[in-house]
Amino acid sequence: MDFQEIALETYERAKKKCLALLQAFLKKILKYKKVRTAFEFALEKWALAKRKYVKLQFKRRNWREKKLLRYIVKQLAAYFLVMYLFFFLIFFVNQIMLFMKQLLGKHIPLGDAMKLMFYSLPFVLAQSAPFATLTGFLMCLGRMNTDNEILIFKASGYHLGRLLLKPILVMGLLISIFSFFMNDYLLPLGTSKTRDQLRKSISKNPAMEIEARAVKRMNNTTVVFGDVKEKDVSDLLLFDLDDSGNQRVIAAGATHVDSGEYKGVSMRFEMNDATVIVLDKKKMTDFDLLKSKVMSLHLFESTVFAFERRVSPSELTSHDLGVKIREMKKNPNTIQRELNMNVLEYNKKFSLPFGSFFFAFLAMPLALLFGKVNGQTIGLVVGIFISFLYWAMMTVGIQLGYRNGFNGFILMWLPNTVVLLAALAFYFFARKK
């Protein structure tokens, strides 16, 4: 046996003997009531002090965690607002271009044009929120990953699910609720106001609908214009149906276009040297021929406007649209295509706003996987690319639903389902790494 083993064995024997002496001493001392009471009091105070210390440490850690949460929320909110402004400008400029294409050269008053742009703002605001959520959160988390802030959180013992994922999902849900309010209440209101304002503008200035040497389709009426100078047309040719469904052709020389004098009348044609031919639909060889030096033709709003006077699905709230769908399902004469259009619009009111929540869920694993280097720039590029794919899927889904009659529920929730599945897959890869 070497010296080290002897020393270790001696130390163990001495330790056992000291513990035995201490226990014996404590037994003798604790026999006295005052000593025992003092000892119990000391133990109680020690336990209380220990509990206070643990509680203080927990409060300090909880305070630090709340401070980190505030920091993370501020960062996410700042990036979201920047990207929200970015997408808002993109969609707003796109909306301006659409209005310019429709109204260019129609001499619409500036005040009416400004009202039309204002009424289109809910659409722009609702469209911007989901894409701003994804891109903003990706840029923020990517920057934090590049600066090793997420690594510091993990090294400090914080759980990323509680510290990062929880505020991300809560903010995504709040943004979705805000977007849903815009999409469900303000968007239908804006759509209705836009239609009413356009009708008023055309009624006040019917020359907006006149184009020189052009063919204008107005629901069931087709008008061919000659040369145009302000409100005067050199010659005019009009095709429509009369009350009996007979084909009617009106040809006129110089024509003055003016506003309607009566309620529901959009414009009035004051025609010179007019000729009216009415073809009998039952016997095409029979026709009526009328000629007049001066003739006045009134066009109703239902004739002039391409949209219908009845309320469209996009002008209803989700509650009203849901009631309408239930009534349509009970009606055996309901046209299936029309029902599917309403179902598609109903699901769109939920799927697009709550895309923000699914995008928020997707942002964290993408930032962890691809944000090691230049995370902010990569987050911007990846976010815009995914936003474009999402927007394309929604657009194609709407077209398939309206034109081909595909299931509106599946088409509108398919993009969010794809985002959710992609997020789960990226979380799996992130955990493996």
Side-chain angles (χ1 to χ4, degrees):
M1 184 178 291
D2 58 7
F3 177 76
Q4 187 176 1
E5 292 178 350
I6 295 172
L8 185 61
E9 187 178 348
T10 304
Y11 169 76
E12 292 294 335
R13 284 201 301 268
K15 183 179 177 181
K16 290 180 180 179
K17 192 168 184 179
C18 288
L19 287 173
L21 289 173
L22 180 61
Q23 288 177 356
F25 175 73
L26 287 174
K27 285 181 180 180
K28 288 182 180 180
I29 291 296
L30 292 175
K31 287 180 179 179
Y32 300 98
K33 185 176 181 181
K34 290 184 178 180
V35 175
R36 188 168 64 250
T37 303
F39 183 74
E40 290 174 354
F41 178 77
L43 286 177
E44 184 179 344
K45 289 297 182 182
W46 169 255
L48 181 62
K50 189 176 180 181
R51 286 197 299 271
K52 286 185 177 181
Y53 175 77
V54 172
K55 190 176 181 179
L56 180 62
Q57 290 296 103
F58 177 78
K59 283 185 177 180
R60 286 179 178 175
R61 181 179 177 85
N62 196 31
W63 178 80
R64 287 195 296 267
E65 188 172 321
K66 286 183 178 179
K67 196 172 183 180
L68 286 175
L69 281 173
R70 284 197 296 269
Y71 167 75
I72 293 168
V73 169
K74 286 180 181 179
Q75 291 292 308
L76 290 171
Y79 276 90
F80 167 76
L81 291 175
V82 171
M83 294 312 301
Y84 191 82
L85 180 62
F86 171 76
F87 282 104
F88 173 81
L89 291 176
I90 289 178
F91 286 117
F92 190 62
V93 170
N94 180 63
Q95 198 73 2
I96 291 175
M97 297 301 292
L98 288 175
F99 274 112
M100 286 181 63
K101 183 179 178 181
Q102 294 176 0
L103 306 177
L104 191 63
K106 294 188 176 181
H107 309 291
I108 184 171
L110 179 61
D112 291 352
M114 295 297 293
K115 286 181 180 179
L116 290 172
M117 293 307 306
F118 176 75
Y119 294 144
S120 69
L121 285 180
F123 170 79
V124 177
L125 294 172
Q127 288 281 107
S128 304
F131 307 125
T133 302
L134 173 66
T135 312
F137 284 15
L138 269 177
M139 290 178 65
C140 177
L141 297 172
R143 197 273 306 164
M144 294 174 70
N145 195 16
T146 303
D147 294 344
N148 293 322
E149 292 183 11
I150 294 178
L151 181 63
I152 294 172
F153 296 155
K154 293 172 68 177
S156 301
Y158 292 104
H159 191 272
L160 293 184
R162 180 179 177 182
L163 187 65
L164 279 177
L165 186 58
K166 184 178 178 180
I168 288 171
L169 293 180
V170 170
M171 288 188 66
L173 183 61
L174 292 176
I175 294 170
S176 295
I177 294 172
F178 163 77
S179 183
F180 176 75
F181 170 75
M182 300 294 297
N183 205 49
D184 191 49
Y185 178 73
L186 294 183
L187 181 58
L189 183 62
T191 304
S192 177
K193 291 289 186 181
T194 299
R195 191 173 74 165
D196 292 340
Q197 182 59 48
L198 193 58
R199 181 182 289 115
K200 290 177 183 178
S201 299
I202 295 176
S203 297
K204 289 189 296 184
N205 184 19
M208 289 174 53
E209 290 295 294
I210 300 174
E211 296 180 31
R213 299 181 182 181
V215 178
K216 187 71 176 180
R217 178 73 176 178
M218 302 177 181
N219 284 352
N220 295 324
T221 302
T222 302
V223 185
V224 182
F225 297 100
D227 294 327
V228 177
K229 185 178 181 181
E230 294 184 355
K231 295 184 178 182
D232 294 316
V233 183
S234 62
D235 48 275
L236 181 143
L237 186 62
L238 184 145
F239 302 88
D240 70 345
L241 301 175
D242 65 7
D243 294 337
S244 302
N246 299 317
Q247 180 67 56
R248 180 170 56 186
V249 181
I250 302 175
T255 302
H256 180 75
V257 183
D258 208 344
S259 303
E261 297 179 348
Y262 309 102
K263 185 177 180 180
V265 176
S266 179
M267 62 178 67
R268 184 177 79 254
F269 291 160
E270 297 292 344
M271 302 176 177
N272 294 312
D273 299 323
T275 301
V276 181
I277 302 174
V278 182
L279 303 175
D280 193 332
K281 66 177 181 179
K282 297 179 180 179
K283 191 176 181 181
M284 299 301 293
T285 56
D286 294 344
F287 63 91
D288 294 328
L289 178 63
L290 303 174
K291 288 190 176 184
S292 175
K293 286 286 185 181
V294 179
M295 188 176 80
S296 181
L297 177 67
H298 296 261
L299 295 183
F300 292 95
E301 290 180 352
S302 58
T303 302
V304 174
F305 296 110
F307 46 77
E308 299 178 358
R309 287 187 58 84
R310 63 179 180 177
V311 179
S312 64
S314 61
E315 295 179 70
L316 296 173
T317 64
S318 58
H319 176 267
D320 295 335
L321 189 55
V323 172
K324 181 181 178 181
I325 290 172
R326 287 192 291 271
E327 291 176 352
M328 292 178 70
K329 288 181 177 179
K330 293 178 182 178
N331 187 358
N333 298 322
T334 299
I335 301 173
Q336 186 61 36
R337 182 174 178 273
E338 186 176 349
L339 174 61
N340 189 65
M341 289 168 59
N342 284 273
V343 171
L344 185 144
E345 191 66 37
Y346 178 79
N347 285 280
K348 181 184 172 185
K349 290 181 181 293
F350 290 91
S351 64
L352 183 61
F354 283 92
S356 297
F357 179 78
F358 292 95
F359 276 147
F361 187 58
L362 176 65
M364 183 173 166
L366 282 178
L368 293 176
L369 289 172
F370 304 110
K372 299 291 184 182
V373 181
N374 296 325
Q376 186 168 296
T377 304
I378 293 175
L380 175 63
V381 175
V382 173
I384 291 177
F385 178 72
I386 296 176
S387 299
F388 172 77
L389 291 180
Y390 184 90
W391 175 82
M393 290 180 67
M394 289 292 291
T395 304
V396 172
I398 292 171
Q399 294 300 319
L400 290 175
Y402 274 87
R403 294 184 179 181
N404 300 82
F406 289 3
N407 188 285
F409 174 81
I410 295 175
L411 291 173
M412 289 298 97
W413 286 101
L414 181 61
N416 288 340
T417 304
V418 172
V419 171
L420 177 61
L421 294 176
L424 294 174
F426 284 124
Y427 271 108
F428 176 75
F429 288 121
R431 286 178 64 89
K432 288 185 70 175
K433 285 192 174 185

